[in-house]
Amino acid sequence: MATEAHEDQAEIRGIGHSVKRKEDARFIRGKGNYIDDIHLPGMLYMAILRSPFAHAKLNGIDASRAQAVPGVVAVVTGELMAQHNLAWMPTMSGDTQAVLVTDKVRFQGQEVAAVIAEDPYVAKDAVELIDVDYDALDVVVSPQQALASDAPVIRDEKDGQTDNHIYHWESGDADATDRAFADADRVVSLDTFYPRSHPAPLETCGCIADVDGATGQATIYMTSQAPHAIRTVFALVAGLPEENIRIVSPDLGGGFGNKVPVYPGYVVATAASLLLGRPVKWIEDRSENLISTGFARDFHMHGELALKNDGTMLGLRTSLLADEGAFHADAQPSKFKVGLFHVVTGSYDMSAAHVVADGYYTNKAPGGVAYRCSFRVTEASYLIERLVQNAAYELGMDPADLRKKNFIRKDQFPYETPTGFVYDSGDYHGAMDLALEKIGYAELREEQERKRAEGKLWGIGLASFTEAVGAGPHKDYDILGLKMNDGAELRIHPTGKGILKISSKTQGQGHETTFAQIVAEEIGIQPEDIKVQHGDTDNTPYGLGTYASRSTPTVGAATAMVSRRVIEKARKIAAHLLEVAEEDVEFTRPTFSVRGAPDKAVTIQDVAFAAYTNFPDGMESGLEAAYYYDPPNLTFPFGTYAVAVEVDRETGVWQVTRMVAVDDCGVRINPMIVEGQIHGGLTEGYGIAAMEQITFDETGNCIGSNFIDYLLPTAVETPRFELGETVTPSPHHPIGAKGVGESATVGSPAAYVNAVIDALWPLGVRNIDMPLTSAKVWEAIEAAKAPA
Amino acid sequence: MEISVTMNGTARTADVEPRMLLAHVIREEFGLTGTHVGCDTTSCGACTVLLDGSPVKSCTMFGVQADGHEVTTVEGLAGADGLHPVQVAFQEEHGLQCGYCTPGMMLVGAALLERNPDPTDDDIRWAISGNICRCTGYMNIVKAIQTAAKAKAAAPAAATA
C-alpha cells in the first residue's frame, strides 16, 4: 500500500495559482443553466400587473376580460392572497411588504395582480386587460418631503405609524466628538447625495415554483444569492414545513446584491403553483427589474471633518437621511440600521466620530440598498474620501500628503475605531506609495501645472478606502435573527476525488474553482478533482449566502477548516497504514510520512481509498467532515486608487486617462480571478460615478426604467485599468484572505469624482453630486464662470 | 406561420406566431438556451446571434424575419475540430465571470475576426460596444479576442505541423 513520496509530483495548484475556471467549460459552450433555461413539464407562465401610480388608493380590480383570454389559467389578486394570509410578507429588515396590493399602492411598479397562463405571451396580453380603479394620492419622493409635518403617511396600515419615519440610529460618541471639534483649528464640511442606483445584473430575477400537492414538497428554482436564508423566510411566510422547501439557485447571470431579497413575484408564483398544482415560471423583464427590485444607496449625507492646521484629523461627524422607499427591505445585519456606514472614519486615525442617521419611507421602490458593497460601506468610503480631498485643498496640502499624515500606521493594528470596529491588519502607506509610484504621481502633478497653464482642465484624484466585510461574528451579525455564519462539507471519495458543498452561491465569482483551490491547498488533492456544489438547499450546508464580500471570509474559512478536519481523520488512517503512532505521522500535502523515515509514506489518495477499504477497527468508515464557521471578527480589505482625468471645458465631457488600482485583500487565492473581480468593480464604480442613476419625477414616475435611461458603461468609455497589489494577510482568517469582490466598487467612485473635482477646483467648483454626467460637469463649469 | 432557418448549419423549421421574437424562437422552439435575453430594448446584446454571419440582436427581430436565413448561436461556434479560438481564449484569458453576456460577446468577437483578423484594442472595444458586460470591466474580453486573433493567425501553420 505504502508508496514512495514522489519528488516529481505535480505541484498542487492551491492558493496563489491562477487556475483557469472550471465553470467556464459550460458557459463558453452556451450550456449554462440559468433560471429561464429551466423547463418543467406542465409549466405555466406568470406575468405581473404593476401600478402606474406611485401612491394611489385601490378601489377595485376587474379581471374578467383577462380571465376570458384563451390560455389564461388564473388571475391572482391581493384579495386572493389575503384569503391565504399571504397579502403581506416580512422583509429582511423586519418590516412588512405588500405581496399584492390590497389597500393602496405605494410606489410606481408595485405588484397589483398576476396572470398565470399557458404561454408567456398570453400572460402578458392578459395583464393589459386587467382593469384597476385607482384614486391617486399625494406623492412623497424624497426623505426631505417625507419628514414634513404635512406629508401623507405612506405606511398608514401599520399600527402606531403616524409619520414616515422608520428609524433613528447613532454610532460613536457624541460628547467626545464635540470635544474633538472644540479643539479643531478648522472644520471642513460636505453635503452630498449618493444617488439611487441599481445593481442591474444582466440576468433579471425570476423563479419557477413547483409545489407538489400530493407530497407538499415545494421546489423553487430561484435567482437567489442567499438560498438558505430564503428557505427559512419562505417557511415563515408561507407556513410551509421547512423540510418540504427546497430552494435551488441555478447559474446566476450576475447579482451584485440584487438577488438577495425576497420579492413578491417569488411568493405569488409559489402560491399560484400551490393553488394550481402545476409549476409556475416567472421571469422579470428588464423594466420590472429596474423599477421594483432592490435598488441601492439613495443616501443624503452631511459630513464634517475636524482638523488641526497641520492637517491632523481630530474627529468626524455625519448626519444622514436614508430614502428607503415604501417598505424597509434592506438586507443587512439587524443591529445596524444604516449597514456598516459607521466604518466612515475609513483609513484614518482619529479619536472621535459620531454618526446620526434617520430612515424614511417614500413612494419609491424598496431596496436591498446594497450594490456590490458590504452594507453601505460604499457610501461611507465615498463621504470620507471626498471630505479628505476637500480638506487638503482648504489646508493647502497635497491630498496624498494629508492622507499619509493621518493613515493608521502599520504598527497600530489591530486598531479600534471610534465607532467600535477593530481593524484586523493593514499597511495603508504601502498601498498608497505603490499607487503613487505606479501612476507617477509627482510627474503627473507637474504635468498638471503645465496643462493648467495652457488652460486645460486636468485632474488627479485619489481614494484610500478601508472596507468592513465578511459578516460576521454571531454576537453582532444576524439577519432576522439568523446568525451570519456559514458552512462547508467535504467528502473525499474512495478514488481520491472529492465533493465540497458550500453554503455560499456564486454569481460569477468563480466559487467552483477558488473553493476547490482552498481544499487543494489544505489536503493536496488537485482542484480539478474537487467538485464544488452550491445553491441547492437540499444538498448544501446552511449559511446566509453570497453578498457583502462574505464568501471568502466566511465560507472560505469554513472550507479551510473542514479540510483540516478531514486531515485529522486522514492522519489516523495514515498511521494505521504506516503502522506507526498518529503522532509520528507528518503531513506535507499530499503525503503522509513517518517522522524520521520520509521514504515510508502514503498519499492522501491512498488514505482516501483506505477510508473505505482498510480502516482500523473501531473507526467509522469514510472520509468526510462538516464545519460551520463563526468569524472572530470582520476582515478589512483596503487599497489606494489613483485616477487621472481630462475635462473638456466646452462640453463637460471627462475622460479617464489613467486608472491605477492598488488593492490589498490579504492572501489571494486565485490571482486571475481576483484581478477580474477588481476590473469589474472598477467598472461598476465608474458607472456609478459617471452615469448610473435612477431618478423620479415629482409624481413618482421612475426615470431609469430601462437600459436606454439607466446607462451602463460600455467597452468604449470604460477606463483601461492598471492594477497593483500589496498583501497584508488577515491575522484571524485561516488562510489570511479578506475578500475582494466589492473593494473596487467601494473605493473607486470617490477616486473618479475626486479627479474631476481636482480638475475643476481652480475654477471654484467644490462638489458635484454623482453621477458626473457631462451636462452636470458643464453646468458646474458655467456656474463657476458666472460672476458672483 | 412556418419558417425555415439554417440553424448552426442544420436546416430547421418551426411553426411560430408572427410576433414571436427571434430570441424566443431560438430558445423555445429550437431549444438552444445559450442565447440570453437581458434587456428587451436592444441595449445589452446578451441575445446577439449571427444572421448570415453578421451580429444581430435577436430580441429585436421577429423569428419570421429569419426565414430563409442562416443563424449561428453560441452552440454553433465550435466546429468539427473543436472549440472556436474565441471560446478557448475566453476561458484562457478569464474573459467571462457570470457567463450571461458571454455567448453574445464571443459571437461578436468571432464575427469581428472574420472581417478584421488583426484588430486593435479600439477596434475590439467599438465592435463589442453594443454588448454590455457587468462583471469583467471588458479588460479580459478585449484580451481574449486579441488572443483568439493570434490563435487564428497561427492555426494554418499548426494544422500543417
Side-chain angles (χ1 to χ4, degrees), chain A residues 35-36 46-48 50 111 124 198 201-207 223 258-259 263-266 281-294, chain B residues 37-40 100:
Chain A
I35 188 77
D36 200 21
M46 184 174 96
I48 294 178
R50 294 173 182 278
E111 298 79 1
K124 291 218 167 195
H198 196 284
L202 206 50
E203 177 206 39
T204 61
C205 300
C207 73
T223 50
N258 186 234
K259 292 170 180 170
Y263 293 122
Y266 301 156
K281 177 186 265 192
W282 168 64
I283 305 292
E284 280 177 344
D285 64 29
R286 175 55 56 188
S287 183
E288 293 182 284
N289 178 254
L290 287 170
I291 66 176
S292 74
T293 63
Chain B
V37 175
C39 72
D40 322 302
Y100 204 76

mmCIF file of all heavy atoms in Angstrom, chain A residues 35-36 46-48 50 111 124 198 201-207 223 258-259 263-266 281-294, chain B residues 37-40 100:
data_model
loop_
_atom_site.group_PDB
_atom_site.id
_atom_site.type_symbol
_atom_site.label_atom_id
_atom_site.label_comp_id
_atom_site.label_asym_id
_atom_site.label_seq_id
_atom_site.Cartn_x
_atom_site.Cartn_y
_atom_site.Cartn_z
ATOM 1 N N ILE A 35 -31.968 30.537 -14.817
ATOM 2 C CA ILE A 35 -33.353 30.257 -14.410
ATOM 3 C C ILE A 35 -34.284 30.082 -15.618
ATOM 4 O O ILE A 35 -35.100 29.170 -15.667
ATOM 5 C CB ILE A 35 -33.885 31.367 -13.445
ATOM 6 C CG1 ILE A 35 -35.235 30.985 -12.858
ATOM 7 C CG2 ILE A 35 -33.995 32.719 -14.128
ATOM 8 C CD1 ILE A 35 -35.157 29.977 -11.763
ATOM 9 N N ASP A 36 -34.124 30.951 -16.631
ATOM 10 C CA ASP A 36 -35.065 30.880 -17.759
ATOM 11 C C ASP A 36 -34.766 29.707 -18.679
ATOM 12 O O ASP A 36 -35.530 29.416 -19.594
ATOM 13 C CB ASP A 36 -35.031 32.208 -18.539
ATOM 14 C CG ASP A 36 -36.276 32.397 -19.391
ATOM 15 O OD1 ASP A 36 -37.310 31.756 -19.097
ATOM 16 O OD2 ASP A 36 -36.222 33.160 -20.370
ATOM 17 N N MET A 46 -46.127 33.171 -15.536
ATOM 18 C CA MET A 46 -46.762 34.259 -14.792
ATOM 19 C C MET A 46 -46.261 35.608 -15.288
ATOM 20 O O MET A 46 -45.073 35.771 -15.576
ATOM 21 C CB MET A 46 -46.431 34.114 -13.300
ATOM 22 C CG MET A 46 -47.126 35.131 -12.418
ATOM 23 S SD MET A 46 -46.830 34.770 -10.667
ATOM 24 C CE MET A 46 -45.458 35.854 -10.342
ATOM 25 N N ALA A 47 -47.170 36.552 -15.387
ATOM 26 C CA ALA A 47 -46.801 37.938 -15.674
ATOM 27 C C ALA A 47 -47.484 38.816 -14.634
ATOM 28 O O ALA A 47 -48.595 38.510 -14.179
ATOM 29 C CB ALA A 47 -47.222 38.342 -17.071
ATOM 30 N N ILE A 48 -46.820 39.889 -14.251
ATOM 31 C CA ILE A 48 -47.321 40.732 -13.161
ATOM 32 C C ILE A 48 -47.830 42.060 -13.686
ATOM 33 O O ILE A 48 -47.170 42.714 -14.508
ATOM 34 C CB ILE A 48 -46.207 40.953 -12.106
ATOM 35 C CG1 ILE A 48 -45.874 39.622 -11.417
ATOM 36 C CG2 ILE A 48 -46.605 42.005 -11.081
ATOM 37 C CD1 ILE A 48 -44.760 39.703 -10.390
ATOM 38 N N ARG A 50 -48.408 45.843 -12.804
ATOM 39 C CA ARG A 50 -47.786 46.770 -11.856
ATOM 40 C C ARG A 50 -48.482 48.128 -11.890
ATOM 41 O O ARG A 50 -49.044 48.522 -12.898
ATOM 42 C CB ARG A 50 -46.294 46.922 -12.191
ATOM 43 C CG ARG A 50 -45.550 45.631 -11.977
ATOM 44 C CD ARG A 50 -44.117 45.669 -12.440
ATOM 45 N NE ARG A 50 -43.517 44.360 -12.234
ATOM 46 C CZ ARG A 50 -43.021 43.926 -11.074
ATOM 47 N NH1 ARG A 50 -43.016 44.709 -10.010
ATOM 48 N NH2 ARG A 50 -42.523 42.722 -10.957
ATOM 49 N N GLU A 111 -46.486 45.597 -7.309
ATOM 50 C CA GLU A 111 -47.217 44.437 -7.797
ATOM 51 C C GLU A 111 -48.696 44.553 -7.424
ATOM 52 O O GLU A 111 -49.034 44.678 -6.237
ATOM 53 C CB GLU A 111 -46.623 43.161 -7.187
ATOM 54 C CG GLU A 111 -45.159 42.910 -7.562
ATOM 55 C CD GLU A 111 -44.124 43.728 -6.772
ATOM 56 O OE1 GLU A 111 -44.525 44.510 -5.873
ATOM 57 O OE2 GLU A 111 -42.928 43.589 -7.059
ATOM 58 N N LYS A 124 -48.743 38.033 -20.750
ATOM 59 C CA LYS A 124 -48.516 39.485 -20.882
ATOM 60 C C LYS A 124 -49.699 40.171 -21.551
ATOM 61 O O LYS A 124 -50.072 41.296 -21.183
ATOM 62 C CB LYS A 124 -47.235 39.743 -21.679
ATOM 63 C CG LYS A 124 -45.998 39.344 -20.905
ATOM 64 C CD LYS A 124 -44.838 40.300 -21.118
ATOM 65 C CE LYS A 124 -43.777 40.016 -20.064
ATOM 66 N NZ LYS A 124 -42.788 41.058 -19.922
ATOM 67 N N HIS A 198 -28.803 51.059 -9.252
ATOM 68 C CA HIS A 198 -29.382 49.716 -9.290
ATOM 69 C C HIS A 198 -28.308 48.726 -9.710
ATOM 70 O O HIS A 198 -27.555 49.007 -10.640
ATOM 71 C CB HIS A 198 -30.554 49.674 -10.272
ATOM 72 C CG HIS A 198 -31.433 48.480 -10.097
ATOM 73 N ND1 HIS A 198 -31.069 47.232 -10.538
ATOM 74 C CD2 HIS A 198 -32.646 48.328 -9.522
ATOM 75 C CE1 HIS A 198 -32.032 46.366 -10.230
ATOM 76 N NE2 HIS A 198 -32.996 47.004 -9.612
ATOM 77 N N PRO A 201 -27.992 43.373 -12.595
ATOM 78 C CA PRO A 201 -27.299 42.222 -13.192
ATOM 79 C C PRO A 201 -27.875 41.971 -14.584
ATOM 80 O O PRO A 201 -29.047 42.279 -14.837
ATOM 81 C CB PRO A 201 -27.637 41.080 -12.231
ATOM 82 C CG PRO A 201 -28.916 41.492 -11.568
ATOM 83 C CD PRO A 201 -28.854 42.993 -11.466
ATOM 84 N N LEU A 202 -27.050 41.422 -15.476
ATOM 85 C CA LEU A 202 -27.514 41.295 -16.864
ATOM 86 C C LEU A 202 -28.685 40.322 -16.972
ATOM 87 O O LEU A 202 -29.534 40.456 -17.851
ATOM 88 C CB LEU A 202 -26.353 40.858 -17.753
ATOM 89 C CG LEU A 202 -26.463 41.263 -19.222
ATOM 90 C CD1 LEU A 202 -26.785 42.735 -19.389
ATOM 91 C CD2 LEU A 202 -25.172 40.935 -19.950
ATOM 92 N N GLU A 203 -28.719 39.354 -16.061
ATOM 93 C CA GLU A 203 -29.893 38.486 -15.973
ATOM 94 C C GLU A 203 -30.828 39.075 -14.917
ATOM 95 O O GLU A 203 -30.394 39.395 -13.812
ATOM 96 C CB GLU A 203 -29.473 37.076 -15.544
ATOM 97 C CG GLU A 203 -30.633 36.120 -15.363
ATOM 98 C CD GLU A 203 -30.330 34.983 -14.386
ATOM 99 O OE1 GLU A 203 -29.664 35.221 -13.353
ATOM 100 O OE2 GLU A 203 -30.762 33.859 -14.638
ATOM 101 N N THR A 204 -32.104 39.192 -15.241
ATOM 102 C CA THR A 204 -33.065 39.721 -14.268
ATOM 103 C C THR A 204 -33.392 38.642 -13.240
ATOM 104 O O THR A 204 -32.870 37.540 -13.295
ATOM 105 C CB THR A 204 -34.362 40.167 -14.969
ATOM 106 O OG1 THR A 204 -34.931 39.013 -15.609
ATOM 107 C CG2 THR A 204 -34.085 41.260 -15.991
ATOM 108 N N CYS A 205 -34.285 38.965 -12.326
ATOM 109 C CA CYS A 205 -34.709 37.990 -11.318
ATOM 110 C C CYS A 205 -35.831 37.106 -11.865
ATOM 111 O O CYS A 205 -36.548 37.495 -12.791
ATOM 112 C CB CYS A 205 -35.194 38.696 -10.060
ATOM 113 S SG CYS A 205 -33.935 39.737 -9.290
ATOM 114 N N GLY A 206 -35.995 35.967 -11.264
ATOM 115 C CA GLY A 206 -37.079 35.078 -11.682
ATOM 116 C C GLY A 206 -37.115 33.838 -10.834
ATOM 117 O O GLY A 206 -36.235 33.612 -9.985
ATOM 118 N N CYS A 207 -38.156 33.044 -11.052
ATOM 119 C CA CYS A 207 -38.259 31.787 -10.316
ATOM 120 C C CYS A 207 -39.148 30.807 -11.063
ATOM 121 O O CYS A 207 -39.894 31.189 -11.974
ATOM 122 C CB CYS A 207 -38.824 32.021 -8.905
ATOM 123 S SG CYS A 207 -40.579 32.413 -8.874
ATOM 124 N N THR A 223 -33.547 32.821 -8.607
ATOM 125 C CA THR A 223 -32.316 33.601 -8.742
ATOM 126 C C THR A 223 -31.978 34.177 -7.371
ATOM 127 O O THR A 223 -32.333 35.299 -7.052
ATOM 128 C CB THR A 223 -32.506 34.746 -9.742
ATOM 129 O OG1 THR A 223 -33.700 35.462 -9.399
ATOM 130 C CG2 THR A 223 -32.610 34.246 -11.164
ATOM 131 N N ASN A 258 -28.576 42.430 -5.954
ATOM 132 C CA ASN A 258 -29.965 42.486 -6.426
ATOM 133 C C ASN A 258 -30.736 41.198 -6.124
ATOM 134 O O ASN A 258 -31.966 41.204 -6.055
ATOM 135 C CB ASN A 258 -29.966 42.770 -7.930
ATOM 136 C CG ASN A 258 -31.350 42.992 -8.507
ATOM 137 O OD1 ASN A 258 -31.744 42.339 -9.469
ATOM 138 N ND2 ASN A 258 -32.103 43.902 -7.916
ATOM 139 N N LYS A 259 -30.004 40.090 -5.949
ATOM 140 C CA LYS A 259 -30.675 38.803 -5.809
ATOM 141 C C LYS A 259 -30.611 38.268 -4.380
ATOM 142 O O LYS A 259 -30.614 37.070 -4.159
ATOM 143 C CB LYS A 259 -30.106 37.817 -6.833
ATOM 144 C CG LYS A 259 -30.478 38.229 -8.259
ATOM 145 C CD LYS A 259 -29.772 37.458 -9.358
ATOM 146 C CE LYS A 259 -30.249 37.981 -10.726
ATOM 147 N NZ LYS A 259 -29.434 37.447 -11.830
ATOM 148 N N TYR A 263 -38.660 38.689 -3.228
ATOM 149 C CA TYR A 263 -39.534 39.577 -3.992
ATOM 150 C C TYR A 263 -40.949 39.015 -4.074
ATOM 151 O O TYR A 263 -41.144 37.794 -4.067
ATOM 152 C CB TYR A 263 -38.963 39.785 -5.398
ATOM 153 C CG TYR A 263 -37.654 40.548 -5.367
ATOM 154 C CD1 TYR A 263 -36.492 40.016 -5.904
ATOM 155 C CD2 TYR A 263 -37.569 41.796 -4.743
ATOM 156 C CE1 TYR A 263 -35.287 40.706 -5.842
ATOM 157 C CE2 TYR A 263 -36.373 42.489 -4.677
ATOM 158 C CZ TYR A 263 -35.229 41.939 -5.229
ATOM 159 O OH TYR A 263 -34.047 42.625 -5.152
ATOM 160 N N PRO A 264 -41.936 39.911 -4.173
ATOM 161 C CA PRO A 264 -43.322 39.454 -4.241
ATOM 162 C C PRO A 264 -43.575 38.418 -5.345
ATOM 163 O O PRO A 264 -44.355 37.477 -5.148
ATOM 164 C CB PRO A 264 -44.093 40.754 -4.505
ATOM 165 C CG PRO A 264 -43.282 41.806 -3.808
ATOM 166 C CD PRO A 264 -41.850 41.386 -4.057
ATOM 167 N N GLY A 265 -42.881 38.572 -6.469
ATOM 168 C CA GLY A 265 -43.092 37.628 -7.568
ATOM 169 C C GLY A 265 -42.816 36.188 -7.157
ATOM 170 O O GLY A 265 -43.518 35.257 -7.586
ATOM 171 N N TYR A 266 -41.805 35.990 -6.297
ATOM 172 C CA TYR A 266 -41.492 34.629 -5.840
ATOM 173 C C TYR A 266 -42.664 34.056 -5.026
ATOM 174 O O TYR A 266 -43.003 32.890 -5.147
ATOM 175 C CB TYR A 266 -40.257 34.625 -4.935
ATOM 176 C CG TYR A 266 -38.971 35.157 -5.515
ATOM 177 C CD1 TYR A 266 -37.972 35.661 -4.676
ATOM 178 C CD2 TYR A 266 -38.710 35.132 -6.883
ATOM 179 C CE1 TYR A 266 -36.768 36.126 -5.184
ATOM 180 C CE2 TYR A 266 -37.514 35.604 -7.396
ATOM 181 C CZ TYR A 266 -36.544 36.109 -6.536
ATOM 182 O OH TYR A 266 -35.353 36.575 -7.025
ATOM 183 N N LYS A 281 -43.640 29.531 -13.792
ATOM 184 C CA LYS A 281 -42.396 30.269 -14.044
ATOM 185 C C LYS A 281 -42.699 31.764 -14.111
ATOM 186 O O LYS A 281 -43.668 32.191 -14.758
ATOM 187 C CB LYS A 281 -41.773 29.824 -15.366
ATOM 188 C CG LYS A 281 -40.501 30.604 -15.726
ATOM 189 C CD LYS A 281 -39.979 30.255 -17.130
ATOM 190 C CE LYS A 281 -38.905 29.191 -17.084
ATOM 191 N NZ LYS A 281 -38.187 29.047 -18.378
ATOM 192 N N TRP A 282 -41.865 32.530 -13.443
ATOM 193 C CA TRP A 282 -41.958 33.991 -13.517
ATOM 194 C C TRP A 282 -40.571 34.548 -13.794
ATOM 195 O O TRP A 282 -39.638 34.305 -13.029
ATOM 196 C CB TRP A 282 -42.488 34.573 -12.200
ATOM 197 C CG TRP A 282 -42.334 36.052 -12.109
ATOM 198 C CD1 TRP A 282 -42.925 36.984 -12.900
ATOM 199 C CD2 TRP A 282 -41.518 36.787 -11.173
ATOM 200 N NE1 TRP A 282 -42.530 38.254 -12.522
ATOM 201 C CE2 TRP A 282 -41.663 38.162 -11.477
ATOM 202 C CE3 TRP A 282 -40.680 36.418 -10.128
ATOM 203 C CZ2 TRP A 282 -41.005 39.157 -10.752
ATOM 204 C CZ3 TRP A 282 -40.023 37.407 -9.416
ATOM 205 C CH2 TRP A 282 -40.193 38.766 -9.731
ATOM 206 N N ILE A 283 -40.451 35.259 -14.894
ATOM 207 C CA ILE A 283 -39.189 35.900 -15.240
ATOM 208 C C ILE A 283 -39.460 37.385 -15.441
ATOM 209 O O ILE A 283 -40.283 37.769 -16.267
ATOM 210 C CB ILE A 283 -38.592 35.317 -16.553
ATOM 211 C CG1 ILE A 283 -38.443 33.790 -16.475
ATOM 212 C CG2 ILE A 283 -37.263 36.004 -16.886
ATOM 213 C CD1 ILE A 283 -37.396 33.302 -15.503
ATOM 214 N N GLU A 284 -38.779 38.204 -14.665
ATOM 215 C CA GLU A 284 -38.933 39.658 -14.809
ATOM 216 C C GLU A 284 -38.464 40.111 -16.177
ATOM 217 O O GLU A 284 -37.483 39.586 -16.700
ATOM 218 C CB GLU A 284 -37.982 40.376 -13.849
ATOM 219 C CG GLU A 284 -38.388 40.499 -12.456
ATOM 220 C CD GLU A 284 -37.264 41.187 -11.665
ATOM 221 O OE1 GLU A 284 -36.125 41.288 -12.127
ATOM 222 O OE2 GLU A 284 -37.577 41.605 -10.566
ATOM 223 N N ASP A 285 -39.085 41.159 -16.693
ATOM 224 C CA ASP A 285 -38.428 41.841 -17.802
ATOM 225 C C ASP A 285 -37.516 42.916 -17.203
ATOM 226 O O ASP A 285 -37.496 43.143 -15.992
ATOM 227 C CB ASP A 285 -39.430 42.373 -18.848
ATOM 228 C CG ASP A 285 -40.363 43.439 -18.319
ATOM 229 O OD1 ASP A 285 -39.977 44.171 -17.387
ATOM 230 O OD2 ASP A 285 -41.484 43.561 -18.853
ATOM 231 N N ARG A 286 -36.728 43.540 -18.057
ATOM 232 C CA ARG A 286 -35.723 44.475 -17.542
ATOM 233 C C ARG A 286 -36.361 45.640 -16.803
ATOM 234 O O ARG A 286 -35.870 46.098 -15.760
ATOM 235 C CB ARG A 286 -34.853 44.984 -18.701
ATOM 236 C CG ARG A 286 -33.863 46.055 -18.306
ATOM 237 C CD ARG A 286 -32.951 45.659 -17.160
ATOM 238 N NE ARG A 286 -32.218 44.433 -17.437
ATOM 239 C CZ ARG A 286 -31.482 43.789 -16.538
ATOM 240 N NH1 ARG A 286 -31.370 44.241 -15.298
ATOM 241 N NH2 ARG A 286 -30.862 42.666 -16.859
ATOM 242 N N SER A 287 -37.453 46.131 -17.355
ATOM 243 C CA SER A 287 -38.097 47.281 -16.729
ATOM 244 C C SER A 287 -38.595 46.917 -15.326
ATOM 245 O O SER A 287 -38.422 47.682 -14.370
ATOM 246 C CB SER A 287 -39.251 47.760 -17.623
ATOM 247 O OG SER A 287 -39.826 48.891 -17.060
ATOM 248 N N GLU A 288 -39.196 45.741 -15.199
ATOM 249 C CA GLU A 288 -39.652 45.303 -13.871
ATOM 250 C C GLU A 288 -38.480 45.226 -12.897
ATOM 251 O O GLU A 288 -38.594 45.596 -11.736
ATOM 252 C CB GLU A 288 -40.310 43.919 -13.971
ATOM 253 C CG GLU A 288 -41.609 43.900 -14.745
ATOM 254 C CD GLU A 288 -42.219 42.502 -14.756
ATOM 255 O OE1 GLU A 288 -41.705 41.647 -15.514
ATOM 256 O OE2 GLU A 288 -43.174 42.266 -14.007
ATOM 257 N N ASN A 289 -37.364 44.728 -13.400
ATOM 258 C CA ASN A 289 -36.176 44.616 -12.544
ATOM 259 C C ASN A 289 -35.734 45.975 -12.029
ATOM 260 O O ASN A 289 -35.447 46.152 -10.845
ATOM 261 C CB ASN A 289 -35.055 43.934 -13.346
ATOM 262 C CG ASN A 289 -33.764 43.804 -12.558
ATOM 263 O OD1 ASN A 289 -32.803 44.525 -12.821
ATOM 264 N ND2 ASN A 289 -33.730 42.919 -11.586
ATOM 265 N N LEU A 290 -35.722 46.958 -12.933
ATOM 266 C CA LEU A 290 -35.199 48.273 -12.540
ATOM 267 C C LEU A 290 -36.181 49.065 -11.678
ATOM 268 O O LEU A 290 -35.763 49.855 -10.833
ATOM 269 C CB LEU A 290 -34.822 49.082 -13.788
ATOM 270 C CG LEU A 290 -33.553 48.622 -14.522
ATOM 271 C CD1 LEU A 290 -33.434 49.333 -15.867
ATOM 272 C CD2 LEU A 290 -32.310 48.861 -13.682
ATOM 273 N N ILE A 291 -37.484 48.870 -11.898
ATOM 274 C CA ILE A 291 -38.430 49.714 -11.156
ATOM 275 C C ILE A 291 -38.910 49.093 -9.843
ATOM 276 O O ILE A 291 -39.463 49.789 -9.008
ATOM 277 C CB ILE A 291 -39.673 50.110 -11.997
ATOM 278 C CG1 ILE A 291 -40.538 48.906 -12.330
ATOM 279 C CG2 ILE A 291 -39.256 50.873 -13.239
ATOM 280 C CD1 ILE A 291 -41.828 49.270 -13.065
ATOM 281 N N SER A 292 -38.702 47.794 -9.653
ATOM 282 C CA SER A 292 -39.320 47.208 -8.456
ATOM 283 C C SER A 292 -38.358 46.443 -7.553
ATOM 284 O O SER A 292 -38.689 46.190 -6.403
ATOM 285 C CB SER A 292 -40.464 46.274 -8.858
ATOM 286 O OG SER A 292 -39.961 45.068 -9.401
ATOM 287 N N THR A 293 -37.210 46.044 -8.039
ATOM 288 C CA THR A 293 -36.344 45.216 -7.189
ATOM 289 C C THR A 293 -35.234 46.056 -6.566
ATOM 290 O O THR A 293 -35.015 47.204 -6.940
ATOM 291 C CB THR A 293 -35.721 44.049 -7.965
ATOM 292 O OG1 THR A 293 -34.874 44.555 -8.994
ATOM 293 C CG2 THR A 293 -36.786 43.166 -8.571
ATOM 294 N N GLY A 294 -34.515 45.434 -5.641
ATOM 295 C CA GLY A 294 -33.549 46.088 -4.784
ATOM 296 C C GLY A 294 -32.657 47.130 -5.426
ATOM 297 O O GLY A 294 -31.678 46.825 -6.082
ATOM 298 N N VAL B 37 -31.585 36.632 -22.935
ATOM 299 C CA VAL B 37 -32.279 37.918 -23.050
ATOM 300 C C VAL B 37 -31.934 38.743 -21.815
ATOM 301 O O VAL B 37 -32.104 38.278 -20.686
ATOM 302 C CB VAL B 37 -33.806 37.710 -23.156
ATOM 303 C CG1 VAL B 37 -34.525 39.055 -23.163
ATOM 304 C CG2 VAL B 37 -34.146 36.919 -24.413
ATOM 305 N N GLY B 38 -31.446 39.961 -22.027
ATOM 306 C CA GLY B 38 -31.019 40.757 -20.882
ATOM 307 C C GLY B 38 -31.794 42.041 -20.682
ATOM 308 O O GLY B 38 -31.874 42.529 -19.559
ATOM 309 N N CYS B 39 -32.336 42.629 -21.749
ATOM 310 C CA CYS B 39 -32.882 43.972 -21.558
ATOM 311 C C CYS B 39 -34.178 44.254 -22.289
ATOM 312 O O CYS B 39 -34.869 45.198 -21.957
ATOM 313 C CB CYS B 39 -31.848 45.017 -21.970
ATOM 314 S SG CYS B 39 -31.602 45.115 -23.746
ATOM 315 N N ASP B 40 -34.492 43.547 -23.310
ATOM 316 C CA ASP B 40 -35.715 43.725 -24.121
ATOM 317 C C ASP B 40 -35.677 44.961 -25.005
ATOM 318 O O ASP B 40 -36.651 45.254 -25.700
ATOM 319 C CB ASP B 40 -36.998 43.796 -23.248
ATOM 320 C CG ASP B 40 -36.958 42.852 -22.072
ATOM 321 O OD1 ASP B 40 -36.802 41.647 -22.300
ATOM 322 O OD2 ASP B 40 -37.072 43.331 -20.919
ATOM 323 N N TYR B 100 -23.294 35.328 -18.582
ATOM 324 C CA TYR B 100 -24.569 35.672 -19.222
ATOM 325 C C TYR B 100 -24.365 36.440 -20.527
ATOM 326 O O TYR B 100 -25.072 36.223 -21.491
ATOM 327 C CB TYR B 100 -25.426 36.475 -18.245
ATOM 328 C CG TYR B 100 -26.911 36.385 -18.535
ATOM 329 C CD1 TYR B 100 -27.631 35.233 -18.210
ATOM 330 C CD2 TYR B 100 -27.596 37.443 -19.126
ATOM 331 C CE1 TYR B 100 -28.985 35.138 -18.457
ATOM 332 C CE2 TYR B 100 -28.963 37.363 -19.379
ATOM 333 C CZ TYR B 100 -29.656 36.207 -19.049
ATOM 334 O OH TYR B 100 -31.003 36.123 -19.294
#
